[in-house]
Amino acid sequence: MSTYLVGDIHGCYDELRALLKQVEFTPKQDTLWLTGDLVARGPRSLEVLRYIRSLGSSVRMVLGNHDLHLLAVFAGISSNTLKDRLRALLQAEEANQLIDWLRCQPLLQVDKEKKLVMTHAGITPQWDLETAKACAYELESVLASDRYPIFLDAMYGDMPNHWTPELKGLSRLRFIATALTRMRFCFPNGQLDMHLKEAPNFAVPPLRPWFAIPSKLPNGYTQIFGHWASLEGKGTPQSIIGLDTGCCWGGVLTLLHWEGQRYYTQASNCHQMKDIVPMKYSF
């Protein structure tokens, strides 16, 4: 029985299946952890959602910013653009069922036995683990309810960028979504900077990667995240592991076998994406 952790898939279905074949993933025995951003950019988002949904309880995943964006597009709140490559998914016969399944997925995974914590972008240095769990649950509850379009309509935007327990309503939910699915850089006090999208060597002090600021998480836990493809899985502390290695941009899809502490990769088939500079996200 193995635990496999895989970085951002972004519609790269063929690469995902080939990567899982490498490790002989067996759904009835193994568990697959996914860092979010299942969809968009790559060519086969529909097939990715179909497959992941079919795995049922064998999967432990979190939502990413592109997954949230898909929900907003399907709800008619945002527009589908050519670069998102979501048309086949949006027009699929089972689109309603897939979207309803997706919006009921978590934003945070915690395994006390394995001492693992996973989110899409990371956990802001302003939060301890209990605060992160409570905040994730707040947003998950809204997304799984009939009120979810109200949040999606207010989701886009970079403010507020500083946590305080006094935040309320849609502003509070927007900060939670930003911290869990979009964060990269912070100021020393933990305040988020949502302008810089590049690799850490582009940062000008006092900005630092969120993982370079002391964490309030309990000792002994390992944090798993995706989202930041330009890191190429490098440059993080030993207890913080980034698994997004830019498959949809012509990089590789990366898997970590937790028990064996061994990495596996699958080269990208997204040849048409290799010469495209990653777009700066609007949210």
Side-chain angles (χ1 to χ4, degrees):
M1 183 172 171
S2 292
T3 306
Y4 299 113
L5 303 106
V6 177
D8 300 20
I9 300 167
H10 274 298
C12 296
Y13 174 76
D14 295 333
E15 294 87 340
L16 173 64
R17 295 305 300 268
L19 186 57
L20 295 179
K21 186 176 181 180
Q22 281 191 53
V23 297
E24 300 180 348
F25 170 67
T26 306
K28 292 183 179 180
Q29 299 177 9
D30 304 327
T31 305
L32 182 63
W33 288 53
L34 303 173
T35 62
D37 276 2
L38 303 184
V39 303
R41 307 303 197 209
R44 303 186 68 185
S45 293
L46 172 59
E47 289 83 354
V48 169
L49 287 195
R50 280 175 173 164
Y51 176 63
I52 299 305
R53 185 184 179 219
S54 76
L55 295 176
S57 59
S58 299
V59 169
R60 295 184 67 169
M61 61 166 284
V62 293
L63 294 172
N65 55 311
H66 281 278
D67 305 317
L68 294 178
H69 178 63
L70 168 62
L71 299 181
V73 170
F74 192 78
I77 291 165
S78 189
S79 299
N80 178 35
T81 63
L82 202 58
K83 67 179 182 289
D84 289 326
R85 309 178 81 179
L86 294 172
R87 180 176 296 179
L89 171 54
L90 296 169
Q91 295 177 348
E93 288 186 9
E94 72 270 45
N96 277 300
Q97 292 90 340
L98 291 171
I99 293 297
D100 284 343
W101 167 80
L102 187 67
R103 69 183 177 87
C104 292
Q105 300 309 304
L107 288 141
L108 171 71
Q109 292 281 0
V110 179
D111 190 311
K112 291 183 178 180
E113 181 180 338
K114 293 182 173 64
K115 298 294 184 183
L116 282 173
V117 177
M118 181 175 70
T119 63
H120 178 61
I123 294 181
T124 169
Q126 297 178 307
W127 287 348
D128 59 22
L129 185 55
E130 292 307 311
T131 302
K133 289 164 64 175
C135 287
Y137 180 75
E138 284 184 48
L139 184 50
E140 291 163 4
S141 298
V142 171
L143 288 171
S145 75
D146 292 339
R147 297 173 291 144
Y148 76 95
I150 298 173
F151 162 71
L152 294 174
D153 191 43
M155 171 177 67
Y156 296 93
D158 295 337
M159 300 298 289
N161 65 348
H162 187 73
W163 170 252
T164 170
E166 285 70 41
L167 281 174
K168 297 188 182 302
L170 291 173
S171 293
R172 182 181 177 95
L173 294 175
R174 189 187 305 116
F175 178 88
I176 294 170
T178 298
L180 291 174
T181 71
R182 297 177 54 219
M183 174 181 66
R184 289 188 179 92
F185 290 97
C186 295
F187 292 92
N189 65 354
Q191 179 178 320
L192 309 183
D193 173 82
M194 301 310 301
H195 299 290
L196 186 61
K197 316 288 185 183
E198 288 80 9
N201 57 299
F202 285 87
V204 176
L207 288 184
R208 303 175 69 187
W210 65 267
F211 50 76
I213 297 173
S215 171
K216 295 182 179 179
L217 267 61
N219 292 332
Y221 274 83
T222 297
Q223 290 191 64
I224 306 293
F225 73 105
H227 183 57
W228 203 341
S230 61
L231 291 176
E232 299 179 340
K234 304 171 185 176
T236 59
Q238 187 174 1
S239 61
I240 302 178
I241 300 172
L243 289 177
D244 184 4
T245 45
C247 185
C248 69
W249 303 113
V252 297
L253 190 63
T254 295
L255 174 151
L256 170 60
H257 179 211
W258 180 247
E259 289 77 12
Q261 289 295 293
R262 179 180 174 185
Y263 288 90
Y264 297 79
T265 61
Q266 181 65 39
S268 173
N269 293 327
C270 299
H271 303 295
Q272 69 273 27
M273 304 295 285
K274 288 184 178 180
D275 297 325
I276 300 176
V277 176
M279 303 294 290
K280 289 187 177 181
Y281 302 133
S282 59
F283 83 99

